[in-house]
Amino acid sequence: MRLLLALSLSLACAAAQAQPTRVRGTISGFDGKTLSIDGKTKVLVGEKTEIVFTQPITLADIKPGDFLGVTSRKEPGGQLTAYEVRRFPKPLNPGHRPFDGRDDQTMTNATVGAMVQATSGRELTMTYEGGAQKITVPENASISALVPGTPKQLVPGAPVNLTHDADNVALRIQVGPPKL
């Protein structure tokens, strides 16, 4: 029984260590191999690291049928208000869920079913298997398309959202234009 318990704990620890770690912040430096985020976190950029760039676009560039990742705030009445809209080149993790474990923020990865001008602003109807969400997109929401990126875009001042493995090697880096 103890052996079974020890084996179970070992497997659980190994599985936890295998989970990628997420880091968000601003690039403070990159020497071609090591990426520094917020002057604290250092992550290695390897040959297999995928880099994607968040190319700014407008809401008019988004059409029904596009696949989006929309990060929203949940308002007191339950209404979702987007603060970041990203058009993905292909579907990725469809569905609707809490974002970063917070009850007041959500992530909706889904297909645009409709886009209308509503009294509260522009409204997207996002559909995914088993559900749909209506999300208001205010004028100040960040809107971008994810396109292939390069290490040349890993410059100080650029926002990043990345995952890395247990060896601190970046698996995927999403980088945006530097904030001025």
Side-chain angles (χ1 to χ4, degrees):
M1 182 69 158
R2 287 183 185 166
L3 180 60
L4 184 58
L5 179 61
L7 182 59
S8 295
L9 286 173
S10 294
L11 289 174
C13 288
Q17 290 174 352
Q19 293 294 319
T21 301
R22 179 170 306 280
V23 176
R24 289 186 184 87
T26 302
I27 295 174
S28 50
F30 181 57
D31 65 8
K33 290 185 179 187
T34 303
L35 184 65
S36 296
I37 298 112
D38 294 331
K40 300 178 264 183
T41 306
K42 295 192 184 298
V43 178
L44 300 173
V45 177
E47 291 179 18
K48 294 184 179 182
T49 300
E50 177 188 15
I51 301 172
V52 293
F53 183 70
T54 55
Q55 178 68 49
I57 62 173
T58 67
L59 194 61
D61 295 320
I62 295 173
K63 307 289 181 233
D66 284 349
F67 191 86
L68 307 178
V70 181
T71 310
S72 304
R73 284 185 225 15
K74 190 183 285 187
E75 304 298 336
Q79 171 64 37
L80 298 176
T81 302
Y83 60 88
E84 189 171 30
V85 177
R86 288 169 306 287
R87 183 174 62 196
F88 293 169
K90 61 184 179 188
L92 181 68
N93 300 322
H96 177 76
R97 55 198 147 279
F99 184 64
D100 279 349
R102 294 178 52 168
D103 291 336
D104 63 337
Q105 293 183 6
T106 64
M107 172 60 72
T108 306
N109 289 359
T111 302
V112 177
M115 188 165 42
V116 297
Q117 183 66 41
T119 54
S120 60
R122 304 165 295 175
E123 189 175 84
L124 294 172
T125 299
M126 306 291 296
T127 60
Y128 50 90
E129 187 174 329
Q133 300 293 324
K134 288 187 186 235
I135 304 171
T136 300
V137 182
E139 293 292 329
N140 64 346
S142 170
I143 303 172
S144 60
L146 295 181
V147 298
T150 69
K152 291 180 182 178
Q153 293 162 321
L154 302 177
V155 297
V160 291
N161 178 352
L162 65 85
T163 54
H164 65 81
D165 63 17
D167 294 325
N168 221 32
V169 176
L171 303 169
R172 183 173 189 273
I173 301 171
Q174 179 179 303
V175 60
K179 303 287 186 198
L180 301 175

